[in-house]
Amino acid sequence: MKLNMTPAWQALQAHRDATRDLNLNTLFAQNPDRFERFSLGLNGLMFDFSKQLVTEETLRRLVALARQQNLQGRIEDLFGGKKLNITEDRPALHTLLRDRSIYSVNEEGETVSHQVQRVLDQMRPFVDKVRSGQFKGFTGEAIRDFVHIGVGGSDLGPNLACLALESGEPGPINMHFVSAMDGVQIVDSLKHLDPATTAFIITSKTFTTIDTMANADRAKAWLLAACPDAEKACRQLIGISVNKQAMSAYGVASSQQFEFWHWVGGRYSLWSSVGLSVALYLGMHTFEGLLHGAFIADQHFRTAPLEQNIPVIMALLHVWYLNFCKCGSRVVLPYTSCLKYLPDYLQQLEMESCGKSVSNDGEWLDVETSAVIWGEFGPNGQHAFYQSLHQGNQMVPADFIMVCKPPRADNYDQHLLSVANCVAQSQALMTGKSEEDVRAQLQREGLDEEHIERLLPHRMYPGNRPSSTIVLDELSPKNLGMLLALYEHKVFTQSMIWNINPFDQWGVELGKQLSKRMYDELQSGDTSTHYDGSTKGLMNIFRTHSR
Ligand SMILES: O=P(O)(O)OC[C@H]1O[C@](O)(CO)[C@@H](O)[C@@H]1O
């Protein structure tokens, strides 16, 4: 039976039709305990969903949908290593990267736990060597600068975590990130770096991604220009990949190859050796803190009742807004610039995982799956798109992220400013500003009646716009690990409700194939006739103006 014909779905649809007039201000007025009732805590993290347009009944019906879709069984399948990634015939075992003691799933003879342990045991001494200045370049000087080269899941997580968790004080090494295929970032970075003291961390699950390999080629050529002894120069390359053969062929010494496995999806790979850059930059204890936090979230997801399960509630709210309230996008608003890259990270996690139109049974879906996830460091967003959040005519549910302890102790005052804005913005979205309030204000400002009538509709805020606030007591490795893993499980829950595979991404392949052919033709100057008019026109314009 199609999902939207099932009893739980139909019941939710009827409930939505009956509650279209739900008003948040009224809900708070009717229930003084609403904040306590509609918030959940977990080890230093609090999830406040009291400003969501839902009632107890909405939640009950959403949980009934999760039960109907056998969510609990699917959670067990995930943790038990069932091959949930059916189109690639493999399990998704990223949770094992955070818990090496309990589960052990056999994968080609060696238990997965052993594989994970082996790589962590390889990472630890390497991190010590680097951070103590014992990792030397071709002149014998210590390597001080590392350039992490990767893209998508091989870039976003480490980049997010390095910025989020750095102390603001200089450490033993500097970390730089390069992901852009156009070559601008790598060329600009190399200008400021010294080949004698710089190493490159080439991070790519496949070790074939053209964006990453083009940047790596550029970096390797730069090293070779300074040190023609290829073996010595390549000592400054570190590889992170499932593809050991390709790393060796590229010249990465086997002691500097850090493996991960096919069962770790790219956007779920921060917890694998892909996190090496975090460990190098901030210490192994920071990386292990991230793993620990994610493990706490895993246990919570696996054991908490659905009604008190944070990622389950996050996902059900997402389903509610996307499928029943028809809100096609959701905005992520962190109120610390340390989490500047969080919206980008979550955009890949959600949109690559859920951007599907076909169910696990191969049927075209009749319900929406992929919401547009976007966002920005909140205070900057306020000066760009909050106008639309407050007065635009589309409802965009928001996730505010607030941190209590200031990430920089020596600027408490500005931290207060940011927190005040975070809380005030979610309040303003909810309460809005009524016609009476606007009229009273304009009268106080001394405007005449005609002017007031003209301005009234422009100065009113409809309010009743929903948001959640996730509060972290501090921005620690544990809390960041928890936050990211909760979002992972949110995405998993949504996917199980829609019965889609969140672990493949076939939709990115066609563009890659076409661009390869086009690149070859642009290089050779070949004028192909098999393109459509627009494509041919664009290529011709480029040919005319590029040189
Ligand atoms: O780690 P790789 O193999 O270089 O891939 C990078 C990214 O490219 C994608 O395959 C999408 O193009 C992502 O899923 C992945 O995170």
Side-chain angles (χ1 to χ4, degrees), residues 150-164:
V151 72
S154 293
D155 164 71
L156 293 164
N159 201 359
L160 159 67
C162 284
L163 178 68

Side-chain angles (χ1 to χ4, degrees), residues 57-107:
E57 189 187 345
T58 320
L59 290 179
R60 255 197 320 276
R61 291 188 185 280
L62 285 165
V63 169
L65 175 66
R67 290 224 162 81
Q68 173 192 277
Q69 298 303 96
N70 185 25
L71 176 62
Q72 275 150 321
R74 309 307 294 273
I75 293 174
E76 277 316 298
D77 289 345
L78 174 74
F79 284 90
K82 193 167 172 188
K83 289 186 176 173
L84 290 177
N85 184 353
I86 52 166
T87 62
E88 294 175 311
D89 193 31
R90 55 175 81 131
L93 301 180
H94 48 280
T95 56
L96 286 175
L97 298 165
R98 309 88 70 147
D99 174 18
R100 283 123 24 234
S101 59
I102 303 179
Y103 318 106
S104 81
V105 180
N106 272 310
E107 170 94 357

